[in-house]
Amino acid sequence: MAKKTKSKSLFTTSQREHIQRLIEWMSQGVYEKEQIIAVALLCAITGENMFLLGPPGTAKSMVASRLKMIFKDGKAFDYLMSRFSTPDEIFGPISISRLKNEDRYERLTTDYLPEAEVVFLDEIWKAGPSIQNTLLTVINEHIFHNGGQTLRTPMKVLIAASNELPAKDEGLEALWDRFLMRMVSNCIESDSAFFKMLKSEQTEFKPLSEQLYITDELYGKWQSESRTVTTSDSVVSAIKSLRKLLAYHEKEDGNQLRYYVSDRRWSKAYRLMQTSAYLNGRKEINLTDFLLLTHSFWNDVETIPNVLAAFTSSISEATTKQLNKIDKSIRQMMTPQNNQVANKPLRININATEFVEYDYFYYFVENFPDGEAYFSKWDYASLTTTPRDGVRYYDSKRKKIIIHSLIPGRPFDAKSQNASNLIKVKIQKCQDGAIIDGTPYSFKRRTAPIHNADSIQNLPIYQRVAAIQQLFRECVENWENMTASNWRDGDNIFLSSADFALVNKTIKSLCLHQIS
């Protein structure tokens, strides 16, 4: 597990300490399984499911058996599937008395899957279609149709295991997609841990302290509070890059869906990142939470190397692009024919990408007289220098003034926008922002140098070296700040040393690029 470091937080760190102690308790007497145990716990608190791929005897069932012990009065169900397994063995037998006396086809679910909080199903792909189809409903909607009634299932996590992946073209894709986290459980690799296991004596399993149990009240609190966690800009940038890279791999792979990530899966992954950040005592998702998705976004063992490479590339893409532009500027400066533009004036292009985005959808209107005001990003893109109708209002939910353009033929729905103090205005585009009722307002810009790598060649020759040096210093400083806030200062109790090694390799690679 990662080494504990200090990190600033607006959330209390009590939940982090609680989780760390639970992981330590669950890891008693096992070796090289700490991360699997930690991620299983994360899945349970998020309300997501987990698949373990590995041979027999690698502590897969142990993870589930210990996980159920940490929930106060928790119920568990585990079963080894075979091609002869029947729904009665998983969901409970049919009540003969009710069928005979009341003509009701109803299962007795006590001590079976529908009433369990932690479920472990071994060799899940061997189950027949009737079991798998019922599982889909239970996993998707957390409901179980029992005769004429619909039961809400208390299941927090389903851990499935197998020594193989689901067979292709047998209709297992939907069930496979429901397991958000997918991890490999191998035999002990290091010699030191292996011989510790051989020499270890069977000692009494220490009971869990009463204060460490996760009660229903605490579980609900953690789930609710984790939903308030926001996302850092570095994670937003990495997600955008990763989506492009995975789409590229999918196209190159012949659209076989081996790199496909559905919108539903992205949504579930975002909730997992929120929970990871919250349980680590942070109010914001950072790149360590994003890196957890390396255990989620692979669909085939053969694709894992490309998926890992896509993640590391997405983390460093912005810096790599900037370094490549600087390198290009240096080469252009060294090319004699470029000297003919030495005396051209510097051109600065004003465009919307220079404005700071807020909540992904708005630009900040500076010096607005009536209070904190935000202009719709998408509306601004369609504005021209010709005035058009717009509306400004106070958003009671965001507690900010919002300015939108009015779309002809579509009435403005004040209720859905939480709008009060509605005022009609005239809006049009100007160079630094927008003109609102005849008054020009600037939008807040990103803090960036005057020159960028694309415009350096337009500078006089004597200014280019200094400009390139400045760009390089800023690029290195931004990268160092990002790595410090995410990897050195920011600790994540759900990541392993192997996960951090993946990123450290990227950091070293970029550092070598800087030196060269």
Side-chain angles (χ1 to χ4, degrees), residues 112-316:
Y112 287 89
L113 185 146
E115 296 189 16
E117 292 176 289
V118 177
V119 177
F120 177 73
L121 298 178
D122 203 358
E123 298 300 339
I124 188 170
W125 312 124
K126 289 183 168 63
S130 60
I131 294 176
Q132 292 171 356
N133 290 337
T134 306
L135 277 177
L136 274 177
T137 304
V138 173
I139 294 173
N140 283 347
E141 305 164 36
H142 279 254
I143 61 173
F144 177 69
H145 298 291
N146 191 16
Q149 59 179 329
T150 300
L151 304 178
R152 181 76 183 173
T153 63
M155 188 171 68
K156 292 179 171 64
V157 61
L158 168 62
I159 299 177
S162 179
N163 58 5
E164 60 186 359
L165 294 181
K168 297 184 183 300
D169 302 321
E170 290 191 9
L172 297 171
E173 293 80 10
L175 184 58
W176 170 238
D177 190 55
R178 296 314 187 270
F179 295 99
L180 181 62
M181 298 303 280
R182 301 159 176 177
M183 302 192 73
V184 178
S185 181
N186 283 323
C187 295
I188 297 171
E189 293 184 2
S190 74
D191 288 340
S192 60
F194 177 75
F195 282 103
K196 280 182 182 178
M197 183 271 295
L198 289 182
K199 296 177 182 178
S200 64
E201 297 180 359
Q202 290 292 335
T203 56
E204 187 177 349
F205 194 65
K206 295 179 183 178
L208 184 64
S209 300
E210 186 68 27
Q211 65 268 27
L212 289 182
Y213 279 110
I214 300 177
T215 62
D216 289 342
E217 181 183 3
L218 182 60
Y219 184 82
K221 176 177 179 287
W222 283 355
Q223 282 219 327
S224 175
E225 291 183 353
S226 64
R227 284 179 168 84
T228 66
V229 171
T230 58
T231 314
S232 66
D233 290 340
S234 59
V235 172
V236 172
S237 176
I239 288 174
K240 290 178 180 178
S241 175
L242 181 63
R243 292 184 69 202
K244 292 178 183 176
L245 288 168
L246 292 179
Y248 168 79
H249 282 302
E250 177 62 20
K251 184 178 179 181
E252 290 292 299
D253 196 47
N255 297 313
Q256 300 183 63
L257 301 181
R258 297 202 303 170
Y259 296 93
Y260 171 71
V261 180
S262 66
D263 290 344
R264 176 184 59 217
R265 196 168 188 80
W266 267 112
S267 178
K268 289 176 175 291
Y270 182 75
R271 275 291 299 124
L272 185 106
M273 289 192 293
Q274 281 184 308
T275 308
S276 170
Y278 172 77
L279 294 178
N280 275 287
R282 284 183 274 104
K283 66 166 187 173
E284 189 177 72
I285 297 170
N286 71 13
L287 289 173
T288 64
D289 308 305
F290 171 72
L291 195 63
L292 279 168
L293 303 187
T294 57
H295 303 290
S296 175
F297 284 179
W298 60 271
N299 292 311
D300 190 307
V301 173
E302 294 177 357
T303 67
I304 291 178
N306 285 340
V307 171
L308 294 179
F311 269 88
T312 56
S313 295
S314 65
I315 290 170
S316 61

